[in-house]
Amino acid sequence: MKKRKPVIIVSVIIVIVIIAVVLTSCFSGSEEQNVSSAPITETAVIEKQNLVNSISVSGTVEGDNLVKITSTVNSKIKSLNVGIGDYVKKGDILCIFDSSALEDEYNSLKETIEKSNEMNQTTHEINQRNLRSAETEKNAVLAQAQRNIDNAIAERDKAYEKYNNLIGKYNEYAGKKDDLYNKFQSSGDEMTYQEYQEALQLFKSTEAELDALENQLSTYDNAVQTAQDSYDSAERNADSAIQSIQDTINSEKYNTDTSSENQLEKLSEKISECTVKAPRDGIITALNVAEGSIPTTDAIMTIEDSSSLKINVQIKEADILNVREGMKTVIRTNATGDKEFKGTVSKVVNIFSGADPLTQNEGGYTAEITVDDDNTALLIGMNAKVKIITDEKDNVLAVPYDSISEDNTIYIARQQSDGTYKSEAVKIEKGIESDYYTEIISSEVKEGDLIVLSPQSMHDGRTIKVEENKDE
């Protein structure tokens, strides 16, 4: 037997359709009956706007270039040439310390050094004269030694020349003697014998003279060597004497008392520091000394450059990660009223600082704002309110942030053909948010659409009466 389940399903479907038709008819009739009694819904026209997201902070106007004038001089202020609020230029004399004690010490030390230098100069001149004398003496001694060498060589050469001449005579007489002896032996002639005897006598005397001179030749050689040795010794002694004097001259530079010179230079610097000059143009904003007083702190005064201003502000922990260098700022003060000045975040200090027990300021992070406008009415010391612009967009669709539900839905009041309005739920993406408005991103929304300002009790397709918010 076949199952009847499909028939049951069809029956159920028919029942559901009937119920739906009945409910739709009832609801539609109810809506049509309640159009006139529908609550008035406040709406606003969606427009394009320029949105700015900012962080509000405050601080005090300061000079961008602050210079603390310090001094290590421990004496009284002889004259003070400036006061709080005075404008000074670079190089102006701010104050003068009493430098009389330093000048006395300087003059005394300088006199001592000058006397010492005079003594050193005299010693140097004496050493220079001794050096020149030693060099002159060397030349004279070596010249005499050279003459002794020349004389010894001349005597030696003369002896050798004489020796060579005697050898010639010796050989000549020896030959003549032998010839006469041979002739006498062959002839027996008495005259020849007499000549032989004379020749023999000359030979023997020449031989004796030659022997005697030969023994003296070494003496002449030794005399030349001795003269040369004397020359070398004299040269060494003279060079040693000259070098000794030169060493004394060379060591003079190490005998200079550099410590005194250094001390004199330091005293000169201290005396110069007694005249305190402005390192830059600016205004005197702090003064910690008076005429006749001795400074008790290193910083005797402060100069700030009023032509370039800055504002140091504190940033809350919740905002510090949104602040970056280069962000634009808007500056206002009570003194300048509604007038706004442009600025830039020039430095962000991402280090937490504790509360200041003196000023009772809360701790936090800090940033430095540089004033960009020139020739402003801002003065150093003014309390300033600053808006740091963290984000901004121009010409974007924006709606009041209360008109966006928690699930990023807005309701647009769409006019029907019969002139009535119905709400249309539209999903959007949020963009930049300002204090009151939020950028919306959706292809279903355009400029001029009406947005329901209170989405809490709204649903898609509801018939509404529109009342446009005239204040928006």
Side-chain angles (χ1 to χ4, degrees), residues 71-350:
S71 176
T72 57
V73 179
N74 188 24
S75 64
K76 293 181 179 181
I77 299 290
K78 184 178 179 180
S79 62
L80 182 62
N81 301 333
V82 295
I84 295 289
D86 287 351
Y87 180 82
V88 297
K89 291 185 177 181
K90 181 179 179 180
D92 286 351
I93 297 177
L94 305 176
C95 66
I96 300 175
F97 286 88
D98 184 2
S99 61
S100 56
L102 291 172
E103 290 175 356
D104 290 343
E105 185 178 357
Y106 177 89
N107 293 331
S108 177
L109 181 58
K110 183 179 180 182
E111 184 179 355
T112 300
I113 292 174
E114 288 176 349
K115 289 181 178 179
S116 177
N117 289 340
E118 289 177 3
M119 183 179 297
N120 291 337
Q121 182 61 30
T122 300
T123 302
H124 175 72
E125 291 173 358
I126 292 172
N127 290 331
Q128 288 288 356
R129 287 199 301 271
N130 291 338
L131 179 62
R132 290 192 295 271
S133 296
E135 290 172 345
T136 301
E137 181 66 18
K138 173 186 175 180
N139 293 332
V141 169
L142 292 184
Q144 180 60 48
Q146 185 62 51
R147 285 195 296 272
N148 292 338
I149 292 174
D150 294 341
N151 291 335
I153 291 174
E155 291 297 326
R156 183 198 63 183
D157 293 345
K158 183 178 178 181
Y160 271 97
E161 183 180 1
K162 183 178 180 181
Y163 178 77
N164 291 332
N165 290 335
L166 287 175
I167 288 176
K169 289 183 178 181
Y170 173 83
N171 292 332
E172 178 185 350
Y173 292 151
K176 185 176 182 180
K177 168 183 74 68
D178 291 340
D179 289 343
L180 288 173
Y181 178 77
N182 291 333
K183 185 177 179 181
F184 169 72
Q185 287 291 331
S186 62
S187 66
D189 182 43
E190 185 66 27
M191 184 62 68
T192 300
Y193 178 76
Q194 185 64 32
E195 290 177 357
Y196 163 73
Q197 287 296 326
E198 291 177 0
L200 180 59
Q201 187 63 33
L202 288 172
F203 171 75
K204 288 182 178 182
S205 63
T206 301
E207 184 179 32
E209 188 177 359
L210 186 61
D211 290 340
L213 183 56
E214 186 175 11
N215 292 331
Q216 294 176 358
L217 289 179
S218 60
T219 302
Y220 287 108
D221 290 334
N222 292 336
V224 172
Q225 185 61 50
T226 299
Q228 184 63 56
D229 292 342
S230 297
Y231 181 95
D232 294 340
S233 177
E235 186 175 34
R236 285 194 300 272
N237 292 337
D239 287 342
S240 178
I242 291 172
Q243 187 60 52
S244 177
I245 299 172
Q246 186 64 59
D247 290 342
T248 300
I249 294 174
N250 293 340
S251 66
E252 289 175 357
K253 60 183 177 181
Y254 301 107
N255 295 332
T256 304
D257 186 4
T258 56
S259 61
S260 295
E261 294 286 352
N262 292 337
Q263 186 180 354
L264 189 69
E265 185 176 351
K266 290 180 180 179
L267 284 172
S268 177
E269 290 176 357
K270 286 184 178 180
I271 292 172
S272 177
E273 290 171 358
C274 287
T275 300
V276 181
K277 297 181 179 181
R280 61 174 307 120
D281 297 354
I283 296 175
I284 304 296
T285 57
L287 191 60
N288 303 323
V289 293
E291 197 166 292
S293 67
I294 298 177
T296 57
T297 60
D298 288 341
I300 58 177
M301 64 185 72
T302 302
I303 297 177
E304 293 188 48
D305 183 4
S306 59
S307 65
S308 181
L309 302 176
K310 67 177 182 180
I311 304 168
N312 285 317
V313 298
Q314 281 199 329
I315 309 295
K316 295 179 181 179
E317 183 177 350
D319 296 326
I320 186 61
L321 295 181
N322 296 321
V323 179
R324 297 182 301 278
E325 291 183 8
M327 285 183 169
K328 297 178 181 179
T329 66
V330 177
I331 304 166
R332 299 175 70 178
T333 68
N334 291 334
T336 54
D338 293 335
K339 188 171 183 179
E340 295 182 343
F341 305 97
K342 296 178 182 178
T344 304
V345 178
S346 53
K347 182 167 66 175
V348 178
V349 181
N350 293 321

Side-chain angles (χ1 to χ4, degrees), residues 41-45 450 466-471:
T41 302
E42 190 176 14
T43 62
V45 177
L450 293 178
V466 171
E467 179 180 84
E468 186 177 344
N469 186 349
K470 302 300 183 181
D471 295 334

